[in-house]
Amino acid sequence: MALLEICCYSQASAETAQLNGADRIELCAAPKEGGLTPSHGVLRLVRETVTIPVHPIIRPRGGDFCYTDDEFSAMLDDVRLIEALGFPGMVIGVLDEDGGVDMARMQQIMQAAQGMAVTFHRAFDMCRNPLEAVDKLADLGVSRILTSGQKASAEKGLSLITELKARSGAPIIMAGAGVRTSNLQLFLDAGVEEVHSSAGMWTPSPMRYRQQGLSMSSDAQSDEYLRYCVDGEIVAEMKAMMTRHRAF
């Protein structure tokens, strides 16, 4: 049966995802940045309270995936921390200036990972040559690649996803970006082994007092009184669809 990974931005969301049938969790912070490294405190709490596999993301900032020496040094420290905390895997990706996989840095990451399962995230979708990149990642021993098929959504990129999946020796190809109940069947029918979804929703803050006209975000239009969380009903529905598909 295909595996369901849910992207979670808090410990509470990780518990919701687990309760409703998720097989694995990608743990992140900062949903508006597309996912950054969670804090040490959140990592410890999730490690203590969630029993399904959790793979934290290691991404020090938003934007591109070509990092300065200092940023990369911090990333290696985070790899070592996640390994020391006992997580079974992690999510990471590093590119060079020309849009290729930064092999020298990825080799350092694989060494620091100490045998953890490594997912190369959607930095892959920013690669100049995806077929060359998938071969290099296979040589590195990366466990899986999270990709939208280099399109704005995995549905639009499904043809490349299936091409990558069929490539000899390729890591597991996990489809992600816009995967939801309305299009999940497309990926199941295409034989995609793993799918990644945020299954998310924005919920109102419980605060009764609300200071208007101010935002802590660089986006002045951002609503400070909305919180991003996992919708357990969506997770459960996706899992049920996957179970039914296996039965047939």
Side-chain angles (χ1 to χ4, degrees):
M1 183 170 65
L3 182 147
L4 176 61
E5 179 179 276
I6 299 296
C7 181
C8 297
Y9 291 91
S10 68
Q11 184 268 347
S13 286
E15 287 199 346
T16 297
Q18 174 175 262
L19 180 64
N20 286 278
D23 298 299
R24 186 176 61 234
I25 288 165
E26 180 193 33
L27 184 64
C28 308
K32 292 182 180 179
E33 293 278 6
L36 302 181
T37 309
S39 73
H40 191 170
V42 170
L43 289 167
R44 283 191 177 278
L45 184 59
V46 170
R47 190 74 183 92
E48 293 168 1
T49 58
V50 177
T51 57
I52 63 174
V54 176
H55 292 186
I57 194 172
I58 297 175
R59 186 178 176 219
R61 56 162 173 77
D64 65 62
F65 303 100
C66 183
Y67 297 106
T68 67
D69 288 344
D70 288 342
E71 288 171 337
F72 183 65
S73 178
M75 292 171 74
L76 286 178
D77 282 346
D78 285 335
V79 172
R80 297 183 187 105
L81 170 64
I82 287 168
E83 190 276 330
L85 288 172
F87 286 97
M90 62 175 186
V91 182
I92 197 166
V94 183
L95 302 181
D96 61 29
E97 293 90 340
D98 296 314
V101 175
D102 190 325
M103 292 295 286
R105 284 182 165 179
M106 283 301 302
Q107 286 169 349
Q108 293 182 65
I109 287 168
M110 298 301 292
Q111 291 170 1
Q114 297 284 333
M116 286 190 294
V118 175
T119 298
F120 195 90
H121 58 42
R122 290 191 62 213
F124 182 86
D125 291 324
M126 301 298 187
C127 287
R128 181 174 58 181
N129 186 329
L131 298 183
E132 177 184 273
V134 73
D135 291 343
K136 288 186 173 181
L137 292 171
D139 291 342
L140 285 167
V142 163
S143 298
R144 65 184 48 79
I145 298 168
L146 171 61
T147 177
S148 65
Q150 296 205 324
K151 299 294 184 182
S153 72
E155 182 174 349
K156 292 179 179 178
L158 186 55
S159 61
L160 178 58
I161 289 170
T162 55
E163 182 180 358
L164 294 169
K165 180 180 176 299
R167 198 164 179 85
S168 177
I172 294 168
I173 304 300
M174 179 165 56
V179 177
R180 51 180 61 88
T181 54
S182 61
N183 60 13
L184 176 59
Q185 195 63 46
L186 294 173
F187 301 99
L188 299 178
D189 291 343
V192 175
E193 297 173 84
E194 299 186 1
V195 295
H196 170 100
S197 176
S198 63
M201 62 180 180
W202 291 94
T203 60
S205 164
M207 291 192 68
R208 289 185 293 273
Y209 174 75
R210 300 191 176 195
Q211 179 68 280
Q212 300 299 319
L214 294 177
S215 174
M216 299 297 108
S217 171
S218 59
D219 178 4
Q221 304 303 313
S222 179
D223 189 339
E224 296 294 327
Y225 300 101
L226 287 177
R227 301 180 179 187
Y228 194 75
C229 65
V230 165
D231 187 329
E233 292 184 1
I234 293 177
V235 177
E237 185 176 353
M238 293 182 77
K239 185 64 175 181
M241 290 177 65
M242 296 166 82
T243 302
R244 288 195 299 270
H245 181 81
R246 182 186 185 186
F248 288 104

